[in-house]
Amino acid sequence: MGGDRVTDAPLHEVRRAVYRPVREGNALEDTVARLVQTIRLGVVAPGESLPSERELAVLYAVSRDTVREAIRELADTGYLVRRRGRYGGTFVADPLPQPPHPRDVTAAELEDVLGLRRVLEAGAARAAAARSLDAAARDELWARYEVVAEASASDYRRLDTLLHLSIAELAGIPSLVALAAENRARVNEWLDTFPLLPRNIEHSNAQHERIVTAILAGRPDAAEAAILEHLAGSEALLRGFLA
């Protein structure tokens, strides 16, 4: 697939999803949660800077004091680093703190999150395959697959997340992206508590190729089947590690 190599920069609709206004009433808690979601999804990579406090206040529709307090909370827990000076700002910690083992996850909660993931991602793959994608979108999707296939272990899950969210964007349903982002952040919270398995990465990369190829070939049934097979593998690991 031709075209320039894309970077792993966040996608437009994904950025809109994580930087949308928070709810009134729990502005601080929701701002903290939205920043954590941004980190878990890899929208801002470790070592990269967040938008300025002024920009975040506008994007989240909260006061700068609320943004400042949310950043302070996450800096105290090791997720963010604040730097002063000409090249200062708020940066995602590199490396991120090692997440603790999650609280006990009930079978009902796990099946709820994974069931929603199947509906969202299978629907997104089907919708993306049914659309007439322009050359730029096609090249970007293939390049994102290649970036994941060549990723280091330390960056694999972040780039894998952005590939999955790029498929959600290609469905052409903006509200779907916000739902997929929230769901994926929940899944990543669990995935990040256990190690990557090299054979699983090889298997996932082969499945990614089948998913992307089916979307680019305009085969909705094949795209849906390929992504459901792919999700079943990660579901098996989640059940095994969390049960």
Side-chain angles (χ1 to χ4, degrees):
M1 304 286 172
D4 295 336
R5 180 85 164 206
V6 299
T7 69
D8 59 1
L11 298 160
H12 177 67
E13 290 298 333
V14 177
R15 289 184 62 88
R16 286 184 60 183
V18 299
Y19 290 132
R20 68 190 187 279
V22 303
R23 299 170 298 174
E24 295 183 6
N26 295 296
L28 174 61
E29 292 80 2
D30 284 351
T31 300
V32 170
R34 198 65 59 74
L35 289 171
V36 170
Q37 184 185 73
T38 301
I39 295 168
R40 286 200 176 119
L41 293 175
V43 172
V44 181
E48 293 183 351
S49 64
L50 291 173
S52 69
E53 290 180 1
R54 183 190 301 273
E55 291 175 280
L56 289 173
V58 172
L59 292 167
Y60 292 146
V62 297
S63 70
R64 289 186 67 180
D65 285 343
T66 297
V67 170
R68 192 173 295 115
E69 186 62 28
I71 289 173
R72 185 179 298 115
E73 293 284 344
L74 290 173
D76 288 346
T77 55
Y79 284 91
L80 296 176
V81 177
R82 306 182 76 177
R83 299 175 188 160
R84 299 186 181 277
R86 182 177 180 183
Y87 301 105
T90 303
F91 296 79
V92 176
D94 185 12
L96 287 166
Q98 187 67 27
H101 194 277
R103 58 176 174 74
D104 290 340
V105 179
T106 67
E109 181 183 7
L110 185 61
E111 294 309 316
D112 178 68
V113 172
L114 297 182
L116 179 59
R117 185 189 186 200
R118 285 193 296 274
V119 170
L120 293 173
E121 297 213 24
R126 172 174 281 279
R131 297 182 69 207
S132 296
L133 303 175
D134 62 25
R138 295 170 65 85
D139 285 350
E140 181 173 341
L141 178 60
W142 185 258
R144 286 188 182 279
Y145 153 69
E146 289 185 321
V147 166
V148 178
E150 298 170 5
S152 64
S154 63
D155 220 17
Y156 186 84
R157 282 190 175 136
R158 184 177 70 86
L159 297 175
D160 172 69
T161 295
L162 293 180
L163 171 62
H164 281 253
L165 292 179
S166 74
I167 293 172
E169 281 209 358
L170 291 177
I173 308 169
S175 59
L176 172 65
V177 179
L179 293 172
E182 290 177 5
N183 179 261
R184 181 67 189 222
R186 293 283 301 281
V187 172
N188 281 1
E189 179 183 1
W190 296 332
L191 287 174
D192 288 343
T193 63
F194 57 84
L196 285 167
L197 307 176
R199 290 187 182 276
N200 175 246
I201 291 178
E202 293 176 11
H203 192 209
S204 290
N205 285 336
Q207 291 174 329
H208 284 155
E209 183 175 10
R210 289 196 290 273
I211 295 164
V212 170
T213 299
I215 291 172
L216 295 178
R219 299 171 59 208
D221 289 345
E224 181 180 10
I227 204 159
L228 285 173
E229 179 185 354
H230 177 55
L231 296 180
S234 63
E235 289 176 13
L237 289 175
L238 285 165
R239 291 189 183 99
F241 277 97
L242 298 177

